[in-house]
Amino acid sequence: MKTKTILLAVTAIFLACTTSFAQQKEEESASTTLQFMKTSGSFMVKEFYDLATIKGVVCKVLIITDVVSNKKIGCMRLETTYRSSYNSSPDTYVGTLDADELDACIRSLSYLKDNILSKDAETYTEAQYTSRDKVEIGAYFNETKKKWTAYVQTKSYTSRSMEFFEADNLEALAGEMEKAKAMILEKTK
């Protein structure tokens, strides 16, 4: 009887852990840059260039060169960090904006700033841009506080990858995207 009870307990713990890990599973990315990095039979050189940090969101440009085929591709990386009181080392989450997504994201942030953030919403409202890698950049209106809050979520499968900041900082983030776009164009010639 004890063996049966122990076996049931172990099975229950195993199922609970499996379910928990399944919820944290990262989805396959549709990013062309990340797909390029997975090319087999290649020798990749990755160069990381630092841009600014916007209220906890670290902005970088990544240029990848396939030495075998002599092809280059670039993207903007956004990094967020989660610090837990239970873990001494922070978790870092990285999201990717492909070079060809930057214009649409910049236009979205500009529209958000000019047309949505300029007025209070009548009800709870969210507005967001989502990249192929499932990076979300947007804002929501908090009815209680009567203000807009901006956010970046680098990984869709966990809220720990979210960084919240004042909506005014979206303009600075769009400026870093402009810099990233120019740098990628220059470095991938």
Side-chain angles (χ1 to χ4, degrees):
M1 186 69 170
K2 279 187 176 181
T3 305
K4 196 175 199 179
T5 306
I6 292 172
L7 183 60
L8 284 173
V10 169
T11 303
I13 291 170
F14 174 77
L15 287 174
C17 289
T18 304
T19 303
S20 175
F21 288 128
Q23 291 173 351
Q24 290 289 317
K25 185 180 178 195
E26 187 172 352
E27 296 176 24
E28 184 71 24
S29 175
S31 165
T32 54
T33 305
L34 297 178
Q35 296 301 321
F36 181 80
M37 286 191 329
K38 292 180 181 179
T39 306
S40 59
S42 61
F43 178 68
M44 301 290 184
V45 175
K46 301 174 191 172
E47 300 171 286
F48 297 84
Y49 298 93
D50 292 334
L51 297 172
T53 298
I54 310 295
K55 298 296 180 185
V57 180
V58 178
C59 303
K60 294 184 180 192
V61 167
L62 170 61
I63 304 296
I64 305 164
T65 305
D66 180 346
V67 177
V68 175
S69 68
N70 200 30
K71 291 182 182 174
K72 289 185 175 192
I73 194 168
C75 67
M76 181 175 189
R77 289 169 43 105
L78 301 177
E79 298 176 7
T80 56
T81 304
Y82 176 77
R83 295 180 195 326
S84 169
S85 58
Y86 303 111
N87 191 351
S88 61
S89 61
D91 296 331
T92 300
Y93 299 95
V94 179
T96 304
L97 290 163
D98 291 328
D100 63 343
E101 293 180 298
L102 288 172
D103 277 333
C105 189
I106 293 165
R107 280 194 311 275
S108 298
L109 294 180
S110 178
Y111 181 87
L112 182 62
K113 180 179 104 16
D114 296 341
N115 298 295
I116 297 176
L117 300 178
S118 58
K119 56 188 175 229
D120 289 350
E122 294 177 19
T123 185
Y124 178 80
T125 304
E126 293 179 0
Q128 71 186 35
Y129 173 85
T130 305
S131 77
R132 289 184 199 114
D133 192 31
K134 309 257 187 311
V135 173
E136 292 180 10
I137 303 169
Y140 65 90
F141 186 75
N142 185 323
E143 290 179 279
T144 308
K145 296 180 180 178
K146 297 290 184 205
K147 73 175 207 170
W148 288 94
T149 300
Y151 67 91
V152 171
Q153 183 172 7
T154 53
K155 292 295 176 195
S156 62
Y157 63 88
T158 179
S159 61
R160 291 179 174 193
S161 73
M162 291 186 95
E163 190 68 45
F164 298 95
F165 47 86
E166 297 295 320
D168 296 343
N169 290 301
L170 287 173
E171 190 170 358
L173 186 58
E176 292 307 303
M177 289 178 185
E178 288 285 359
K179 290 178 190 174
K181 191 172 80 167
M183 185 181 289
I184 292 167
L185 188 64
E186 174 193 329
K187 303 270 185 202
T188 57
K189 287 182 183 178

